[in-house]
Amino acid sequence: SAVVELNQVTKEYPGGVVALQGVDLRIGSGELLAIVGPSGSGKSTLLHIVGTLDRPSAGSVTLAGHDVAALSDRRLSALRARHIGFVFQSFHLVAGVSARDNVAEGLLYSGLPRAQRRRRAALALERVGLADRMHHRPHELSGGQRQRVAIARAVVGEPDLLLADEPTGALDSASSEAVMELLHDLNADGATIAVITHDGEIADSLPRQVRIRDGRVVADLRTGAAVPAD
Ligand code: ADP
Ligand code: ADP
């Protein structure tokens, strides 16, 4: 079943820039895909639309069966918090706060009591290989470790979709590899993951790549078989 489905999505910014045009995209449960394209092609815009942080100018977006257009901003925020985890290039961890408390923040809107949030945060840190870094603060961690903390925070609530925006963009090659390996592992455990990247090598390492150029999907490829879009 589809986690997110975009139908004929167009996004025009005030001033007239058309950043996306007629985009159809279906992300099925359990997929691991790249959304790949050069700078200015519309990746961030697509991330914002898929992540329901922004609404399309035309076309429809369905998240976990809900038509986004039918929801108020408030209900949409609640839906997003339940269904989507975000990872960013620059980690966005809270400074001065332990890895464990950073991860527990991913459960802030879960309704779980603090003790349970902390227990689950510890398990999520173990899951990303950082059991021995629970009490370290971000400045005491390497870039790769910080990104693994951010990934733990994004998945601790078991979202239906993990959206990773250039997750290795700030990392050296060894840390990048570790982060991509972690994403593969999480996907093998059932997570649905979309990686936004300008890096063709990263895109090639994933089982599906959706290529965008000038706001349009120009190819939707799956490993082994190149299936052009439309
Ligand atoms: P990418 O992430 O691939 O670099 P973006 O989605 O950021 O691409 O940008 C796609 C196009 O939309 C670009 O031409 C960019 O200048 C334009 N754009 C992005 N954000 C805005 C905005 N907030 N207002 C106006 N134009 C924007
Ligand atoms: P990067 O870390 O990849 O450079 P940015 O920090 O520019 O990415 O964030 C990408 C976009 O996502 C920005 O428009 C930002 O406002 C938004 N954003 C950042 N953090 C969050 C968050 N925790 N929740 C929702 N949106 C966010």
Side-chain angles (χ1 to χ4, degrees), residues 11-20:
K11 177 67 184 180
E12 179 173 350
Y13 286 111
V17 175
V18 178
L20 295 176

Side-chain angles (χ1 to χ4, degrees), residues 44 47-48 53 80 86-92 153 165-166:
S44 296
L47 171 87
H48 279 79
L53 297 164
R80 183 190 313 126
F86 291 93
V87 169
F88 298 97
Q89 175 172 339
S90 50
F91 321 132
H92 291 266
R153 178 184 56 190
D165 187 9
E166 303 280 3

Side-chain angles (χ1 to χ4, degrees), residues 1 19 26 42 48 68 70 72 84 86-87 89 97 133-134 137 145 158 162 183 187 207 209 211 225 229:
S1 61
R26 181 182 185 284
H48 279 79
V68 162
S72 65
I84 304 182
F86 291 93
V87 169
Q89 175 172 339
V97 169
R133 293 291 187 275
M134 301 274 173
R137 291 166 292 170
Q145 290 169 339
E158 301 186 348
L162 176 62
L183 295 180
N187 174 250
Q209 51 178 288
R211 292 188 188 158

